[in-house]
Amino acid sequence: RKVLEQSGFNILEASCPSEALRIAESFQGEIHLLLSDVVMPEMSGFELFEKLVVKRSGIRSLFMSGYTDGSFEGYAVQDRPMAFLRKPFTLHALQSNVQKMF
């Protein structure tokens, strides 16, 4: 969070997918990017994105995961390509990948 804020991004932070959905529902501004883990309690990052894109059509997604078998690459939600960041990653790699989304 701190690194992205220092890079000029405004951050909405959630501790779980249901909280992210509540925040997105009540937030009045535009949400440009979902940065999410793939594997989470409640639902996957992909499922979270599928729910968000219904009401936030311009949202992009950057997923992260420690799974390295490549099974997530090329996955798309509603024909939207997604960026993927493998864990572990450096703070520089996070900044760089987020900036590439814009």
Side-chain angles (χ1 to χ4, degrees), residues 38-55:
V38 173
V39 178
M40 301 183 292
E42 299 179 353
M43 67 184 78
S44 73
F46 300 134
E47 291 169 312
L48 174 58
F49 184 66
E50 287 174 341
K51 292 177 185 274
L52 287 173
V53 78
V54 171
K55 294 190 178 186

